[in-house]
Amino acid sequence: MGRLVEFTTEDGIAVVVESVESGGGARPVGRGDGPVAQASRTFEGALDGVRAAAQSALRVFRDGTLRPDSVELEFGVKLTAEAGAIIAKGAAEGQLVVRLGWSKQPAAAAEPAAEASVPEPVSSS
């Protein structure tokens, strides 16, 4: 299990998350000697980089020639006491999942068909 990191929200609420456990060798030491390291930034501050990455990705997909009706971004995010939030490598070695969606265009309103005038049958009398 990774170590626990406590972030504080801008509202003063504590959020404890499990941090990334580095593989071995030297590791940065967080503030505090207890089992929970104190993060150096607020929770919102730690997520600022992820928010900026999402805004940038949305701009790329919305402003291009694809013009999707919906864009869904999925980031794997790891939180550390030292670096805050980082975009993490996922199980499939991807860091970002993007789903673009298009809805069917509504059929153009059919113009009312001109009423065909049908001649009256001619009676032979």
Side-chain angles (χ1 to χ4, degrees):
M1 173 171 107
R3 66 184 175 155
L4 299 178
V5 177
E6 182 177 308
F7 289 88
T8 304
T9 67
E10 291 174 354
D11 297 331
I13 299 170
V15 177
V16 178
V17 298
E18 183 178 353
S19 178
V20 182
E21 185 68 44
S22 58
R27 285 192 335 205
V29 177
R31 288 187 265 172
D33 297 322
V36 179
Q38 189 66 39
S40 59
R41 298 194 238 180
T42 65
F43 187 68
E44 293 86 351
L47 294 172
D48 280 343
V50 176
R51 179 185 10 221
Q55 288 172 333
S56 179
L58 284 173
R59 192 171 36 254
V60 167
F61 291 111
R62 286 185 175 155
D63 294 346
T65 58
L66 295 175
R67 304 275 181 199
D69 294 321
S70 65
V71 178
E72 182 179 327
L73 302 172
E74 181 180 320
F75 290 91
V77 177
K78 292 182 181 180
L79 296 166
T80 69
E82 299 80 22
I86 57 174
I87 297 173
K89 214 182 329 183
E93 300 300 317
Q95 296 178 340
L96 172 67
V97 175
V98 178
R99 290 180 187 86
L100 305 175
W102 290 267
S103 59
K104 281 187 162 184
Q105 292 292 341
E111 293 188 28
E115 292 185 28
S117 57
V118 178
E120 298 277 330
V122 180
S123 62
S124 57
S125 6

